[in-house]
Amino acid sequence: MEVEIPTEHRAPKVEASAWRWRDLPGAAAKPLRDPLLAVNFLLLAVGAACGPLLLRLYFLRGGSRKWLSSLLQTAGWPLLLVPLCFSFSSRRRRSRRSRQGEDATASGGVFLMTPRLLAASAVVGLMTGADNFLYAYGQAYLPVSTSSILISTQLAFTAAFALLLVRQRFTGSTVNAIVLLSVGAAMLGMGSGGDRPAGVSGAQYAAGFGMALGAAALYGLVLPVMELSQAWHAARAGAAALTYTLVVEIQVIIGVTATAFCAVGMLANNDFQAIPGEARQSELGQAGYYLLLVGTAAVYQCFCLGIIGAIYYGSALLAGVIITVLLPVTEVLAVVFFHEPFSGTKGVALGLSLWGLASYFYGEVRNKAPEAEHRTSLCVDRDCEN
């Protein structure tokens, strides 16, 4: 689990007294060839495809607690303690060897986080908790197919905030993708109400629509803030190396803070007292109800870990793109399992979303080809071995 970040991933160390925002490397400088990126993509795929379906299933089978469904999206953070314990045990063994002169670089500390990184992760956790509530509110009143298309607009927000916070490079293809996603969301807004679920009023549908769009905007801010916090840590002189273990620690803090935020909302809304009664009245039965809660928390933890891993091995914009890639999967599963209506407006909006996604990838491939040729020519000029 102790995976050292490659040299090309690290921000150059600068003295703390001379640190400036412009000293951070641009987000476009990270290569995307790490094998563990595929593992994080798999985790993200499981969470992004299955999480919305399980959360919607909770509401369809008698659930009504929005703060509870918000908490489920980060409540699986204790699962991360298992790999962290293995990592700590490994560091302790290396620390013992270092005292015998075998390894002078080992560290046997319990935590790798600095106080500043801890504070930054806690802030991200509070933002995540608020975003969870907005998303859960939207899921309570919208079909999965509609909410998924709305959430796909987070790519536009991610790109905008990434430009401002981490200096993500903008291309014509990126701008085209943002425009297409925005037009798709606008089409859904103009044609909203036609797919309103039974028992949902017009006001509830409109509120859910606005909340889902707000969740996309807030999450579009969260992703670049995550990347910026990692860049800050990597750029500080004397800070521990930005390893995957440290990234998991960051996700634990985000999960704890977001879960605590939602737990406060549950207390204010008397959700803890209402859970036993809701379980007895659930169409799934008590055992099925609690199993659904546990499964939803575990699936969303895969999503959270996959997100922060994608940022670590790639960028915030890459994480947003991967979420959008999985949109058609969620759409199809919602229609198959929940028999949701899929109108022509949704089809056009989905087509625009996929068009925007294809435009983004085309631009990325086209822009990386000259960069690869340039690196190859430099390597030949310098007689590089690798």
Side-chain angles (χ1 to χ4, degrees):
M1 194 77 180
E2 194 73 14
V3 181
E4 192 79 19
I5 185 170
T7 303
E8 58 267 29
H9 277 225
R10 291 193 187 123
K13 294 289 185 178
V14 295
E15 293 297 331
S17 59
W19 185 89
R20 295 181 301 275
W21 176 83
R22 62 178 176 269
D23 292 326
L24 296 179
K30 293 181 180 179
L32 303 179
R33 58 174 180 268
D34 300 88
L36 281 179
L37 178 61
V39 177
N40 285 275
F41 176 81
L42 180 61
L43 292 172
L44 185 53
V46 171
C50 301
L53 299 176
L54 293 177
L55 205 59
R56 182 59 182 163
L57 182 63
Y58 164 78
F59 289 109
L60 289 176
R61 294 297 180 266
S64 61
R65 298 290 161 174
K66 301 177 186 65
W67 279 111
L68 171 60
S69 58
S70 304
L71 179 138
L72 292 177
Q73 297 174 52
T74 51
W77 64 265
L79 296 174
L80 300 180
L81 297 179
V82 176
L84 284 180
C85 287
F86 281 109
S87 175
F88 172 66
S89 176
S90 175
R91 292 203 308 274
R92 283 193 64 184
R93 288 194 298 269
R94 290 201 304 273
S95 179
R96 290 170 183 169
R97 290 197 300 268
S98 70
R99 287 194 292 268
Q100 300 173 2
E102 297 178 10
D103 186 356
T105 62
S107 173
V110 178
F111 299 108
L112 302 176
M113 299 189 75
T114 62
R116 288 188 179 183
L117 186 58
L118 176 65
S121 301
V123 171
V124 174
L126 293 175
M127 296 170 63
T128 302
D131 182 76
N132 289 348
F133 178 75
L134 295 176
Y135 179 71
Y137 199 100
Q139 286 289 87
Y141 300 122
L142 297 178
V144 175
S145 53
T146 300
S147 63
S148 295
I149 295 177
L150 289 174
I151 292 300
S152 73
T153 61
Q154 58 81 27
L155 179 59
F157 294 109
T158 300
F161 287 121
L163 173 66
L164 296 174
L165 297 180
V166 294
R167 298 181 296 160
Q168 179 71 47
R169 194 177 305 167
F170 256 23
T171 64
S173 299
T174 303
V175 175
N176 186 50
I178 291 173
V179 172
L180 290 171
L181 288 170
S182 301
V183 171
M187 287 188 61
L188 282 178
M190 290 185 294
S192 63
D195 63 344
R196 192 170 67 212
V200 176
S201 67
Q204 289 175 329
Y205 186 94
F209 193 97
M211 289 290 196
L213 204 55
L218 182 54
Y219 205 66
L221 174 61
V222 168
L223 296 180
V225 170
M226 286 183 182
E227 183 176 0
L228 183 61
S229 65
Q230 293 183 19
W232 272 348
H233 177 82
R236 291 191 64 227
L242 187 59
T243 62
Y244 193 72
T245 298
L246 180 56
V247 169
V248 176
E249 288 186 6
I250 293 173
Q251 182 54 46
V252 168
I253 299 302
I254 293 174
V256 170
T257 310
T259 303
F261 178 89
C262 296
V264 172
M266 289 183 64
L267 286 171
N269 201 43
N270 296 321
D271 282 4
F272 288 105
Q273 295 90 330
I275 288 177
E278 191 173 76
R280 288 191 296 269
Q281 298 172 5
S282 174
E283 298 177 18
L284 300 172
Q286 291 192 49
Y289 175 87
Y290 288 116
L291 183 61
L292 175 62
L293 298 188
V294 173
T296 303
V299 166
Y300 268 107
Q301 192 54 53
C302 292
F303 175 82
C304 294
L305 187 58
I307 280 290
I308 200 166
I311 294 174
Y312 170 72
Y313 287 108
S315 67
L317 188 57
L318 174 65
V321 168
I322 294 176
I323 295 174
T324 310
V325 167
L326 299 167
L327 168 65
V329 179
T330 307
E331 294 275 341
V332 172
L333 292 177
V335 173
V336 171
F337 290 109
F338 296 152
H339 308 291
E340 292 184 353
F342 198 81
S343 63
T345 302
K346 282 186 183 181
V348 174
L350 177 60
L352 289 173
S353 299
L354 294 177
W355 183 9
L357 182 62
S359 173
Y360 173 84
F361 273 121
Y362 173 76
E364 286 295 298
V365 172
R366 187 182 62 181
N367 292 330
K368 287 185 181 299
E371 293 178 7
E373 293 177 1
H374 178 64
R375 286 194 300 267
T376 302
S377 64
L378 288 177
C379 191
V380 171
D381 293 340
R382 296 175 185 177
D383 295 326
C384 298
E385 296 180 0
N386 298 324

